Amino acid sequence: MRIKPVKIDTYRENVLFLRKDSELCRAQGFAALEKVEVTCGDKTLVGVLDVVDEHFLGHGEIGLCEYAFKRFGMPAGTEVEVRHPEPVRSVELIRRKIHGEVLKAEDYRYIIRDIVESRYSKVELTAFVVACAQGSMERDEILYLCQAMVEQGEQLAWGREMVVDKHCIGGVPGNRTTLIVVPIVAAYGLAIPKTSSRAITSPAGTADTMEVLTNVNLTLPQMQEIVERESGCLAWGGAFSLSPADDIIIAVERPLNIDAPGQMIASILSKKKAAGATHVLIDIPVGPTAKVPTYDRAVQLRKLFEYVGERMGMTLEIMLTDGTQPIGRGVGPALEARDVLQVLRNDPAAPKDLMEKGLDLAGRVIEFHPAVKGGYGRSLAQEILQSGRAYDKLMRIVKAQGEHAPVEPGRLVKEALAAKAGRVTRIENLKIAKCAKLAGAPVDAGAGIDLLRKVGDEVKAGEPLYRIHAEEEADLGYAWDYWQRHPEMVTIE
Amino acid sequence: MRIKPVKIDTYRENVLFLRKDSELCRAQGFAALEKVEVTCGDKTLVGVLDVVDEHFLGHGEIGLCEYAFKRFGMPAGTEVEVRHPEPVRSVELIRRKIHGEVLKAEDYRYIIRDIVESRYSKVELTAFVVACAQGSMERDEILYLCQAMVEQGEQLAWGREMVVDKHCIGGVPGNRTTLIVVPIVAAYGLAIPKTSSRAITSPAGTADTMEVLTNVNLTLPQMQEIVERESGCLAWGGAFSLSPADDIIIAVERPLNIDAPGQMIASILSKKKAAGATHVLIDIPVGPTAKVPTYDRAVQLRKLFEYVGERMGMTLEIMLTDGTQPIGRGVGPALEARDVLQVLRNDPAAPKDLMEKGLDLAGRVIEFHPAVKGGYGRSLAQEILQSGRAYDKLMRIVKAQGEHAPVEPGRLVKEALAAKAGRVTRIENLKIAKCAKLAGAPVDAGAGIDLLRKVGDEVKAGEPLYRIHAEEEADLGYAWDYWQRHPEMVTIE
């Protein structure tokens, strides 16, 4: 048969198309959802079959979706053999994991290799993710998963003995400390070549916020050059193939909104290892509406991080931080960038909680350096911030990466008012995040929520609690409706 | 936007298509794999988005795959509103099941309703199936699942006080006892309106084997008329919407090859309840290469069946049977039909094990009748078989359903020969099934394996162990290769 590209974006799944009336479907019993193998010489591709009618394909043609066509790498019209593939061996391992078995290092290696080679269907991939999320993974299994993920991707090298990094497990809106930590640490002189993600389920990822100010799509040589000169940079990690299995796994975790400890730890540490980090600070916010609700759970998580991190050959520091409410005021890329710049400019209007947390984290990262006495990192960080060197450093990095006019907060605004007088006692992270997303964040970088009152603040009846920013009237309406239906987002007592 | 049918068979998943350059994808951030809701008046459809290029759709068009287009039920070109749907509420319940919670009756009702209404993506569906397969389901959860499955489908009524049925949990090739039990029981006078499945992962389902002799696609009125006259029939269950959730769930269990006890029991008993059965005999074959490897496990399973069956208002009998090797000689639709006819004709060449098992089961079903003394069913069954009344009954049913010339065993044959002399000590069910499928069964009804020696038989070196039947040279080759690579299929000692 001859291959034909079919311009459908299947999100990292190899989908192949055969005509309903084709010989293969009629006589050989190929049916929708089955696996099909396409071969040409030593090139092989396994995908899931969709059956189509005659409008899509000519006789003797097999369609390959965009992703599959690119992976196969042969021109349209190439003659191929089509057959039922040997079953993917590692699917048997997933079945064993479902039945509660503890898998071995080589088992995870097989599974991750098959994931990276796109041999799994969405069904198989989901089965793996759920089986690992539900049955507790042994801590050695987390390690094996992490190692396999690193092995199956690129690894960055920086030619430095110490490369530091920081990572927050997420769940707290507005928590954009990375843009404060990176310039402070880089100004101190430690190498911090930061790769960050875009938002997955949140209203802004670090890469989204940095993109408000500058280009974040860097090549490896560009990053290397900038780090050489400035010690730090802040690029979008998706441009590199660090732990590619993780990117594929996230595609099914996202719609399920699950983020099990084992996979989370393997995901974070594999990305850090692949990015060449030697010393990593992990920030675990704890709070009733954060990812980790109690300190007991946070300590469990800390131990898992420590166990796996040490065996991956990295030095880890874990900080349990306050995750009871959003950090800073802005929630959404442009609003968060504004908060960050206020902090770095030592603006008296800067949100104090964001500044304090930024300094705490930066201080701990600086203390990775053997020359710094325990407990002295924070004052070094503070000195760098107050002297304006941190601001200068961020501006130099912004310029080096490709500065552009910053995105401004969305011009459509509507204020949520306090229904009564009192003190703010509770702000729910998840609902603030949801509301900011409905306003358009992160797709519209200017959209989001600007919190005008935080927990502990007094408010009079009718005074604004927060301001919704949007780019589109419809989005402003969605966010407003959500607030109307969820007044418990902000509790006044 | 206007809807346009896209002729892609997505196997029971609603897939919607938007152009990459459409307003919705660009500005509103709709991305591949996300959920999209389409509304027109009170008609609503939720599906998963695939993003396509401009060749597929005009401006202002949204594509609906065949399945979605049929479900939506509106003509092409209908104006619809497109938006992000509210999240499917019951996905939250799945997340809770993943985290180990025991769900309640109404939880299963929500989940099954959303499954039947095609509100789940394949990822969500798989997550549910795996979460239930892995964490043990409490026996009450199996009951709730079973009840919810029945509620969400059609139910057949027969206007009789007693309607009997039998079901084998499967896993043993050639085990085609239903075609023996139905005519014996019907000849005795009990109503046995049998609905059977086609093969899911095996080389032949009961419906496939019956189809060798007659039409199995019956409407409900046809079935009712035949049962009225003959007391029995044997139709394909897929023609009715009995427990439709089960059909959807099987679509993801099949590629994973999992069949967890909870879902298996809910699946079987919901189908029986919906088909109107009051008394059901369940056959659980036990053997190292059967579904249930040990008697301990079989007894556990029996208790679960009993618990759920009683609460579903059915009388259940469970038989643990010998599943150490295939039953009868033929494996594959036409070869199995031949075995069945030999038994019913009292042919001296008939496979004795199939006859004995058929009589055991038929006897137990007959004993459901209050008038039959315990232990007397089998001799009644034997009398009906030996007198030829069972054969006559099957022929009357075959004629009533729409007789056609029986399919003959495949004309291409190749014999697998014994490598040495000795006694056959072991025949592996799974590998025999696999080999029969490679030969073309069940798509080619004549294809399969004819076992010429069974466990305990003596064989000389070079004598045939079994015969492969196929319709196509290529398939004969595949099956032969498999045998060459897996001589342990049949062990001689």
Side-chain angles (χ1 to χ4, degrees):
Chain A
M1 300 196 83
R2 297 178 314 283
I3 62 171
K4 180 184 174 181
V6 174
K7 299 269 181 175
I8 290 186
D9 173 6
T10 53
Y11 208 80
R12 297 170 179 278
E13 184 171 19
N14 288 331
V15 179
L16 309 179
F17 301 88
L18 281 174
R19 280 170 64 139
K20 201 175 286 180
D21 62 352
S22 65
E23 176 66 16
L24 288 166
C25 287
R26 283 190 310 108
Q28 298 226 31
F30 279 89
L33 265 200
E34 273 184 41
K35 291 286 191 69
V36 174
E37 185 176 76
V38 168
T39 320
C40 172
D42 59 349
K43 290 242 177 193
T44 286
L45 181 89
V46 174
V48 167
L49 182 64
D50 267 3
V51 175
V52 300
D53 85 352
E54 63 279 5
H55 299 310
F56 280 87
L57 299 166
H59 281 291
E61 283 184 334
I62 179 163
L64 275 63
C65 74
E66 276 188 328
Y67 183 70
F69 187 73
K70 218 166 128 190
R71 283 193 68 88
F72 195 53
M74 303 291 286
T78 301
E79 281 288 337
V80 293
E81 269 192 81
V82 180
R83 62 173 158 241
H84 286 292
E86 282 288 302
V88 179
R89 254 190 66 192
S90 65
V91 170
E92 172 60 28
L93 301 171
I94 294 175
R95 198 153 41 239
R96 275 158 50 188
K97 187 72 207 155
I98 293 173
H99 291 133
E101 260 186 58
V102 174
L103 301 183
K104 295 198 270 300
E106 75 242 39
D107 297 338
Y108 283 99
R109 213 171 292 134
Y110 287 130
I111 291 172
I112 294 301
R113 197 199 51 202
D114 284 337
I115 289 177
V116 170
E117 290 177 358
S118 295
R119 298 182 76 87
Y120 278 12
S121 67
K122 281 276 171 318
V123 165
E124 289 158 343
L125 200 55
T126 307
F128 172 64
V129 168
V130 172
C132 288
Q134 184 173 35
S136 54
M137 287 175 89
E138 289 293 324
R139 57 189 194 174
D140 275 329
E141 292 187 273
I142 303 174
L143 173 63
Y144 302 150
L145 177 60
C146 189
Q147 286 168 333
M149 282 173 153
V150 172
E151 284 166 18
Q152 289 293 329
E154 287 178 28
Q155 292 197 47
L156 308 186
W158 303 100
R160 302 232 196 171
E161 216 168 289
M162 178 182 277
V163 173
V164 302
D165 206 337
K166 71 148 293 255
H167 188 90
C168 175
I169 68 159
V172 175
N175 188 22
R176 208 50 61 215
T177 53
T178 301
L179 270 76
I180 297 168
V181 173
V182 166
I184 293 177
V185 170
Y188 179 76
L190 290 179
I192 184 162
K194 186 91 190 75
T195 52
S196 290
S197 62
R198 295 187 191 279
I200 297 173
T201 57
S202 71
T206 294
D208 298 311
T209 303
M210 187 67 171
E211 203 170 31
V212 167
L213 307 172
T214 186
N215 166 47
V216 294
N217 292 319
L218 302 182
T219 62
L220 182 55
Q222 286 173 326
M223 266 184 88
Q224 281 165 330
E225 197 199 313
I226 296 169
V227 172
E228 188 61 41
R229 221 165 52 220
E230 305 295 346
S231 290
C233 69
L234 216 162
W236 174 51
F240 310 100
S241 196
L242 309 171
S243 193
D246 187 48
D247 299 335
I248 299 172
I249 287 172
I250 284 174
V252 308
E253 283 182 324
R254 185 175 42 181
L256 293 172
N257 204 3
I258 55 174
D259 196 2
Q263 261 144 357
M264 179 176 75
I265 290 169
S267 160
I268 292 171
L269 295 184
S270 66
K271 283 247 156 86
K272 296 300 155 203
K273 184 73 186 175
T278 59
H279 293 68
V280 183
L281 176 69
I282 305 280
D283 170 14
I284 303 182
V286 184
T289 57
K291 268 192 192 167
V292 179
T294 64
Y295 279 92
D296 274 359
R297 291 270 287 277
V299 169
Q300 274 188 320
L301 200 57
R302 195 196 76 200
K303 291 185 183 179
L304 284 177
F305 265 116
E306 288 167 345
Y307 184 87
V308 178
E310 184 166 330
R311 278 155 193 79
M312 294 298 294
M314 292 184 287
T315 303
L316 249 57
E317 275 282 313
I318 321 281
M319 270 178 80
L320 309 189
T321 60
D322 177 10
T324 52
Q325 62 168 336
I327 302 285
R329 278 196 290 268
V331 175
L335 292 163
E336 294 176 16
R338 181 208 58 193
D339 283 1
V340 163
L341 292 178
Q342 285 178 343
V343 169
L344 292 175
R345 284 180 185 135
N346 298 298
D347 185 330
K352 201 159 172 314
D353 58 343
L354 179 65
M355 180 193 73
E356 296 290 348
K357 185 167 177 183
L359 287 174
D360 287 346
L361 296 173
R364 287 285 278 273
V365 174
I366 288 174
E367 285 185 26
F368 279 133
H369 196 281
V372 180
K373 259 172 100 175
Y376 282 64
R378 196 180 193 282
S379 60
L380 289 169
Q382 196 159 17
E383 195 277 319
I384 293 169
L385 177 69
Q386 287 174 352
S387 67
R389 285 164 59 207
Y391 179 74
D392 290 346
K393 179 55 85 178
L394 184 68
M395 288 304 108
R396 291 175 67 90
I397 293 173
V398 160
K399 190 161 275 174
Q401 292 190 189
E403 189 175 15
H404 54 64
V407 179
E408 296 296 327
R411 66 202 158 77
L412 303 174
V413 295
K414 202 155 179 173
E415 287 185 342
L417 307 179
K420 61 173 182 183
R423 186 186 291 271
V424 175
T425 55
R426 194 177 143 95
I427 300 180
E428 290 199 29
N429 290 320
L430 291 172
K431 287 176 183 158
I432 291 290
K434 171 87 189 190
C435 193
K437 283 162 67 180
L438 287 170
V443 178
D444 294 338
I449 305 284
D450 205 13
L451 295 164
L452 306 174
R453 294 288 188 285
K454 298 286 293 283
V455 170
D457 290 350
E458 296 282 350
V459 64
K460 294 192 183 119
E463 277 187 346
L465 288 171
Y466 62 84
R467 195 178 290 135
I468 304 169
H469 286 260
E471 303 282 8
E472 307 282 341
E473 282 292 349
D475 296 336
L476 192 66
Y478 296 146
W480 183 256
D481 282 354
Y482 186 78
W483 154 247
Q484 296 293 311
R485 283 181 290 125
H486 296 282
E488 75 281 9
M489 265 168 68
V490 180
T491 305
I492 303 166
E493 276 173 327
Chain B
M1 302 197 81
R2 298 177 313 282
I3 62 172
K4 180 184 175 181
V6 175
K7 300 270 182 177
I8 291 187
D9 174 5
T10 54
Y11 209 80
R12 296 171 181 277
E13 184 171 22
N14 288 329
V15 178
L16 308 180
F17 301 88
L18 280 175
R19 279 170 66 139
K20 200 175 287 181
D21 62 354
S22 65
E23 177 64 15
L24 289 166
C25 287
R26 283 190 310 109
Q28 300 226 29
F30 279 88
L33 263 203
E34 273 185 41
K35 289 287 190 72
V36 174
E37 185 175 75
V38 169
T39 321
C40 172
D42 59 347
K43 290 243 176 191
T44 287
L45 182 89
V46 174
V48 168
L49 182 64
D50 267 4
V51 175
V52 299
D53 84 351
E54 63 281 4
H55 299 311
F56 280 88
L57 299 167
H59 281 293
E61 283 185 332
I62 178 164
L64 276 63
C65 75
E66 275 188 329
Y67 184 69
F69 187 74
K70 220 166 125 189
R71 283 192 68 87
F72 195 53
M74 303 292 286
T78 300
E79 281 287 338
V80 294
E81 270 191 79
V82 180
R83 61 173 158 243
H84 286 292
E86 282 288 300
V88 179
R89 253 191 66 193
S90 65
V91 171
E92 173 57 28
L93 301 170
I94 295 175
R95 197 151 43 238
R96 275 157 52 189
K97 188 72 208 155
I98 292 173
H99 291 131
E101 262 186 57
V102 174
L103 301 183
K104 296 198 269 305
E106 74 243 38
D107 296 339
Y108 283 98
R109 215 171 290 135
Y110 287 130
I111 291 171
I112 294 302
R113 198 200 48 203
D114 284 337
I115 290 177
V116 170
E117 289 176 358
S118 296
R119 299 182 75 88
Y120 279 11
S121 66
K122 282 275 171 320
V123 165
E124 290 159 342
L125 199 57
T126 307
F128 172 66
V129 168
V130 172
C132 287
Q134 184 175 34
S136 55
M137 288 174 89
E138 289 295 324
R139 56 189 193 175
D140 275 328
E141 293 187 273
I142 303 174
L143 174 63
Y144 302 149
L145 176 60
C146 189
Q147 286 168 334
M149 283 173 153
V150 172
E151 283 165 18
Q152 289 292 330
E154 285 178 30
Q155 293 197 46
L156 308 185
W158 302 100
R160 301 231 195 173
E161 216 168 289
M162 178 180 276
V163 174
V164 302
D165 206 338
K166 69 144 299 246
H167 189 89
C168 176
I169 69 160
V172 175
N175 187 21
R176 209 48 62 214
T177 54
T178 301
L179 271 75
I180 297 168
V181 173
V182 167
I184 293 177
V185 170
Y188 179 74
L190 290 178
I192 185 162
K194 188 93 191 73
T195 53
S196 291
S197 62
R198 295 186 191 279
I200 298 173
T201 55
S202 70
T206 295
D208 298 312
T209 304
M210 186 67 171
E211 204 171 30
V212 167
L213 307 171
T214 187
N215 167 48
V216 294
N217 292 318
L218 302 182
T219 63
L220 181 56
Q222 286 173 327
M223 266 184 88
Q224 282 165 331
E225 197 199 311
I226 296 168
V227 172
E228 187 62 41
R229 223 165 50 220
E230 304 296 346
S231 291
C233 70
L234 216 162
W236 174 49
F240 311 100
S241 195
L242 308 170
S243 192
D246 187 48
D247 299 336
I248 298 172
I249 287 171
I250 284 174
V252 307
E253 284 181 323
R254 185 174 44 181
L256 293 172
N257 206 2
I258 57 174
D259 196 2
Q263 262 146 354
M264 178 175 75
I265 290 169
S267 161
I268 292 171
L269 295 183
S270 66
K271 283 245 156 86
K272 296 299 156 202
K273 183 72 186 176
T278 60
H279 294 69
V280 183
L281 177 69
I282 305 281
D283 169 15
I284 303 182
V286 185
T289 57
K291 271 193 191 167
V292 179
T294 65
Y295 277 93
D296 273 0
R297 291 270 288 277
V299 169
Q300 273 187 320
L301 200 57
R302 196 196 75 201
K303 290 185 184 182
L304 284 177
F305 265 117
E306 288 166 346
Y307 184 87
V308 178
E310 185 166 329
R311 277 152 194 81
M312 293 297 294
M314 293 185 286
T315 303
L316 250 56
E317 276 280 315
I318 321 281
M319 271 178 82
L320 309 188
T321 60
D322 177 10
T324 52
Q325 64 167 333
I327 302 284
R329 278 195 288 267
V331 175
L335 292 163
E336 293 176 17
R338 179 209 60 193
D339 282 2
V340 164
L341 292 178
Q342 284 179 343
V343 168
L344 291 174
R345 282 180 185 134
N346 297 298
D347 185 331
K352 203 160 171 311
D353 58 345
L354 180 64
M355 181 192 76
E356 296 291 348
K357 185 166 178 185
L359 287 174
D360 287 346
L361 295 172
R364 288 286 278 273
V365 174
I366 287 173
E367 285 184 25
F368 278 133
H369 196 280
V372 179
K373 261 171 101 172
Y376 282 63
R378 196 180 195 285
S379 61
L380 289 169
Q382 194 158 18
E383 194 277 321
I384 293 169
L385 178 69
Q386 287 174 352
S387 67
R389 284 163 59 205
Y391 180 75
D392 290 345
K393 179 57 83 177
L394 184 68
M395 288 302 110
R396 291 175 67 92
I397 294 172
V398 161
K399 191 161 277 174
Q401 292 190 187
E403 189 175 12
H404 55 65
V407 179
E408 296 294 327
R411 66 203 158 74
L412 303 174
V413 295
K414 199 153 181 175
E415 287 184 343
L417 307 180
K420 62 175 183 181
R423 186 186 292 271
V424 175
T425 55
R426 193 177 143 96
I427 301 181
E428 290 197 30
N429 290 320
L430 291 172
K431 286 175 182 159
I432 291 290
K434 171 87 189 187
C435 193
K437 282 161 69 180
L438 287 170
V443 179
D444 294 338
I449 304 284
D450 205 13
L451 295 164
L452 305 173
R453 293 287 189 285
K454 298 285 294 281
V455 170
D457 290 350
E458 297 281 351
V459 64
K460 293 192 183 119
E463 278 188 344
L465 289 171
Y466 63 83
R467 196 178 289 137
I468 304 169
H469 287 261
E471 302 283 8
E472 307 282 340
E473 283 292 347
D475 297 336
L476 193 66
Y478 296 145
W480 183 256
D481 282 355
Y482 186 79
W483 154 247
Q484 298 292 311
R485 281 182 292 126
H486 296 281
E488 75 281 9
M489 266 167 67
V490 181
T491 306
I492 302 166
E493 277 173 328

